Amino acid sequence: MNLEQLFIENKEQSIEGRYLTLDAIEPLLRRLNTDNQLTVIGKSVLGEPIYKYQIGSGKIKIFLWSQMHGNESTTTKALFDFLNVLNNGSVFAEKLLNGFTFCCIPMLNPDGSRLYTRENANKVDLNRDSQDLTQPESKVLRETFESFKPDYCYNLHDQRTIFGVADTGKPATLSFLAPSYNDAREVNECRLKAINLIAAMNEVLQQYIPGQIGRFDDSFNINCIGDTFQYFGVPTILFEAGHFQKDYQREETRKYVFMALVSSFSVLSENDIVSNRIDDYLNIPQNNIVFYDFIYKNININYDGIEKITNFASQYKEELIEGKICFNAYIVEIGELKGCFGHFEYDAKGAHFEARYGKAPILNQKTDFYLDNDVKFVNGLLNN
């Protein structure tokens, strides 16, 4: 199967970028609602509808949910790309629809999505509410899980640009986790199914983004939804969509999430999962916090008349301004930065730093500065 071509043919062109609200996906859901597949299953804190889209008649039941965190939209885009596959009338689509029943909640947290926050409108992280179920969105997710009785759960998220693959200097474009079901992080039959499926997806993705797949930390937290569902005995897979080189809108990453989804269902439909791939799973390097968006090296700075050579790093803050996500770079670290990487790196080779506030970088200041008075940086980037 040509996954690249499949993505190109089925990419949902009407949605892109990082800011994805209910306004953008409701028309898509209505368009896809060709046979009463769409249901409103609850309301958010602020009264926004929470939709379920269920399609297929197969015996393998797949439960997928996205934007539990409102500012994590990459997997939502990829999910709609996949739903387009299921609705394209192809032989492959027919095979999937006959083999699986897909139950999707494409936007669990519409309030957080509109506000572009991780939390819901009550400032609660829904991924820490799986036991107390204090929030309406958490209750909707649990009720759907209990009524649908899935065979597999797909917990779809984004991760920050700070994550790299171990110490390789490559970004973690996608990371996976088969969550633990107990404090000892043991592997039972349920967790092994998730592990085997992740190993299969990784094998496919390495052909496209070699060395850019990470494994998320598996510390057990029963308050997290993935750990809870694994504890309940349903194989659960955490997807974390991360950074691809220069892809801050996550349109490239979206493609690899799509590929992961399609390849996982292809493997399941062929019953082509090796019985024990724990070693393959553990050989996926762990995520490591090693990246900044910008690193500037060998900068000559002046503190009260004393010059020295140092490095500093900046990070984007994603700020919602007048309905658009603005990436604004702020200085976050000054010093050796040993073992760290930048998605953008610049070697100043001893050039002198100067900004409107002085001759040395200051934490939390915007990354606007000059080097030797003639090389200009605006919002972190070289301004030619």
Side-chain angles (χ1 to χ4, degrees), residues 257-272:
V257 175
F258 172 86
M259 289 179 171
L261 291 171
V262 171
S263 61
S264 74
F265 302 135
S266 297
V267 167
L268 283 173
S269 67
E270 299 291 343
N271 196 24
D272 193 26

Side-chain angles (χ1 to χ4, degrees), residues 179-183 185-188 191 220 227 230-231:
S180 299
Y181 72 95
N182 64 7
D183 286 318
R185 310 184 195 186
E186 294 173 314
V187 176
N188 59 2
R191 191 180 182 204
F220 179 66
D227 303 53
Q230 201 91 281
Y231 174 79

Side-chain angles (χ1 to χ4, degrees), residues 30-81:
R30 294 191 188 104
R31 189 193 73 202
L32 293 168
N33 188 28
T34 56
D35 192 23
N36 296 317
Q37 301 103 325
L38 188 64
T39 311
V40 175
I41 52 174
K43 295 284 184 71
S44 69
V45 171
L46 298 181
E48 297 261 33
I50 299 172
Y51 290 99
K52 177 186 76 173
Y53 183 83
Q54 186 165 317
I55 187 170
S57 57
K59 67 177 183 178
I60 304 174
K61 300 167 81 172
I62 307 290
F63 184 31
L64 311 95
W65 63 95
S66 186
Q67 273 181 282
M68 167 178 275
H69 296 141
N71 58 354
E72 298 179 2
S73 60
T74 307
T75 53
T76 308
K77 294 184 294 186
L79 182 56
F80 276 101
D81 301 333

Side-chain angles (χ1 to χ4, degrees), residues 357-376:
Y357 49 79
K359 298 182 181 296
I362 296 176
L363 294 178
N364 300 317
Q365 288 287 337
K366 287 288 295 290
T367 314
D368 299 334
F369 63 96
Y370 285 91
L371 293 174
D372 283 346
N373 290 319
D374 61 0
V375 179
K376 183 180 182 181

Side-chain angles (χ1 to χ4, degrees), residues 304-375:
D304 296 327
I306 300 173
E307 290 190 351
K308 73 171 187 175
I309 302 294
T310 190
N311 312 308
F312 72 94
S314 293
Q315 198 72 23
Y316 278 134
K317 286 184 182 179
E318 299 166 25
E319 299 175 327
L320 180 61
I321 301 173
E322 296 181 353
K324 293 184 178 180
I325 302 305
C326 298
F327 290 81
N328 293 319
Y330 294 87
I331 297 169
V332 294
E333 192 70 40
I334 304 167
E336 188 176 358
L337 304 179
K338 186 176 181 180
C340 295
F341 305 95
H343 295 301
F344 170 91
E345 294 189 359
Y346 186 88
D347 188 347
K349 299 178 181 178
H352 290 79
F353 176 97
E354 185 160 352
R356 59 175 177 76
Y357 49 79
K359 298 182 181 296
I362 296 176
L363 294 178
N364 300 317
Q365 288 287 337
K366 287 288 295 290
T367 314
D368 299 334
F369 63 96
Y370 285 91
L371 293 174
D372 283 346
N373 290 319
D374 61 0
V375 179

Side-chain angles (χ1 to χ4, degrees), residues 22 47 69 124 147 175 180 183 200 209 219 256-257 263 279 307 310 358:
L22 200 58
H69 296 141
V124 172
S147 61
S175 297
S180 299
D183 286 318
I209 42 172
S219 299
Y256 301 121
V257 175
S263 61
D279 289 343
E307 290 190 351
T310 190

